Amino acid sequence: MIVAERKPIQEILSMISGLRKILILGCKGCVTVCSAGSEREVMILATIIRMGRKKKDEPIELVERTLVRQCDPEFIDQLSDSIGQFDAVLSMACGVGVNFLADRYPKTIALPAVNTKFYGVAEEQGVWSERCAGCGDCILNLTGGLCPVARCSKGLFNGPCGGSVNGKCEINPDINCVWQLIYDRLKGLNQLDKLDEILPVKDWGVSSHGGPRKIVREDLKI
Amino acid sequence: MSDTFKPEIIAFCCHYTIYNFARDLQGLTKSGFPENVKIEKVSCSGRVARVHLLRTLEEGADGVYVVGCEEEKCHNGAGSRRAKKRSEYVKDVLLQLGMEPERTEMFFMPRGDEAKFIDIAREMVEKIKALGPSPLRGK
Amino acid sequence: MKANSNLERILTSGQFAVTAECGPPKGTLGEVVRRKGESLKFCCDALNVTDNQTAIVRMSSISGCALLKGLGIDPVMQMVVRDRNRIAIQSDILGAVALGIRNMLCLSGDHQKFGNHPSAKGVYDIDSIQLIQIVKRMRDEKKFLNGEDISGEVPLFIGAAANPFADPFEFRVRRLAKKIKAGVDFIQTQAIFDMERFLRWMAMVRDQGLDKKAHILAGIIPIKSVGMARYMAKNVAGITVPKEIVTRMEQAKDAKEEGVKIAIEIIEQIKEIEGVHGVHVMAVAWEDIVPRVVKEAGLMPRPLV
């Protein structure tokens, strides 16, 4: 899922400063799973914003709503009747949702309430971590299913750098060295010889470095 | 702060923790429980959501606290521990809003300990008195 | 000869090489590099110029190398893949060769988080092993990564780092083999304090015949103070400093003297190890001590080849 985290309160308050009527828009997709932009988080953020504005004697009118997804025209278009009444929409979806709002409603101010962090997993209740970088050319078949692009701090392709110690990354002892994990896993699978191959330079043209990406499936288009 | 300030405080209290004495609110007051603390009974302190605490403060309460079972003895397992975490969350919100985090607290209490329950309420009243009225009061 | 650098000539003639590290200044004074060069030129065969080491912005390696070249010193240009993509890397290589630089050390680079611009975007377009491949192809086939022709020769003696003290230990030799497969000519290792582990690593290196395929230069760091010994033991990922060495530094009357003594002892032991073809002295912020260490380790005068 896409994992996000709510922005600091003061940052949100300052971006809506002076605005009087706002739609706080949650999303029932990824950000609900990772508890950043669910219906409940919308309720909490609305309360916090009202508190902040009351404190400054600048009351604000907030409408709370949560769409099934903000990344799909079917749902984002549900706002078309009511969106005109708001000074801005404060979206609690990932950056995709904010973009799509801005794409669909040219006259509406679209603001982000969360920082979109990564594609990750829920390691346990309340803990998420990164697994994929969306690089556009998956090599997980070569690395035991563990991704050095997303999980090696230097994105190295051919084994751990000299800073891998006791299974940890040199930049932070809380980060596992993914190359240690890859080594252990391939050893367990009896596939260590895979590591003797030199992985060629990567085509970053199919990642975000090649410009905004698009997929068209003619078989699915109507 | 002037002595005339009478803080308005809401206490979310676990039903199991205060079961034996909370049926008799008048008796509780006679025993010294402050009148300006309003008790909201909940089936478990773990049921008190962040938004309950926040809304209470938004509506102008000067303080809000939660009373739940002792950490390891929660009737529902981890309920009171969860309540503690939510109270910490609300403290952080208050801090970010430039308000005093002490306006919210979580208290663990042995089941049925009326004297402790009264002490907690009085402690909270004193604390909030020292802080003064909530900046959101009457807004 | 691949590049005909002094370092290559020394190593291919079978002599025990000495290289040292020269850290460029956090500023524009070429004089700083020249002064270091002058003080080190007679005690080593080539001088490495670091490339924004520990991700702290300093004068570029390429310009430091050019300054040393002007003094008749054989420079080793260090290049990290942290700060440049494949376009900038190949471009700098062309420029380096034009400036007379003949040795290059291919590195990943310390993560930008450690440096003085921790919020910088790390490039890591390619990794150090892919960099070796690219340089080798530029040199041997006169072709860029994309297959286009390069005009002119690219004579470079290609180096890389190896760290016998990082994990997973068993993979360290495999990784060295990968670097050799990619086309490396010489290796400069991380600083050695844990001799037992280095010996084990070298035995594995010899078992695979890797010492015959690339020249291995063992890394030496003279320890300047007790604080430095403790710091390296605790805080530097990938450097192992055994307790005995920290204790020796702590109990010494004159810590600097003890640091010199330890460095010399380590070099003496390294000279005896089969398959090690030289030492690389990294006297971080203590370059003045290098001539003495080299001399007292019996490695002076440096041969002329």
Side-chain angles (χ1 to χ4, degrees), chain A residues 82-94:
Chain A
S82 58
I83 201 158
Q85 58 178 295
F86 300 106
D87 295 340
V89 179
L90 180 60
S91 169
M92 297 197 81
C94 67

Side-chain angles (χ1 to χ4, degrees), chain C residues 195 248 258 260-270:
Chain C
M195 190 55 73
R248 268 182 73 178
E258 194 65 22
V260 171
K261 230 172 114 184
I262 292 169
I264 292 166
E265 283 171 24
I266 293 173
I267 297 176
E268 294 287 2
Q269 293 176 63
I270 281 167

Side-chain angles (χ1 to χ4, degrees), chain C residues 150-161:
Chain C
I150 298 171
S151 60
E153 300 292 326
V154 189
L156 281 170
F157 194 48
I158 307 169

Side-chain angles (χ1 to χ4, degrees), chain A residues 10 14 28 59 139 154 167:
Chain A
Q10 285 305 327
S14 95
K28 291 183 183 165
I139 55 160
K154 298 177 182 174

Side-chain angles (χ1 to χ4, degrees), chain A residues 11 21 42 125 131 168:
Chain A
E11 187 183 341
K21 188 171 180 185
V42 167
Q125 173 88 14
R131 289 294 183 278
K168 299 296 175 185

Side-chain angles (χ1 to χ4, degrees), chain C residues 170-188:
Chain C
E170 318 83 71
F171 185 68
R172 289 293 145 186
V173 176
R174 259 189 141 106
R175 184 160 158 85
L176 174 66
K178 259 176 121 163
K179 290 188 175 183
I180 289 169
K181 189 170 159 189
V184 84
D185 302 308
F186 70 98
I187 291 291
Q188 291 172 321

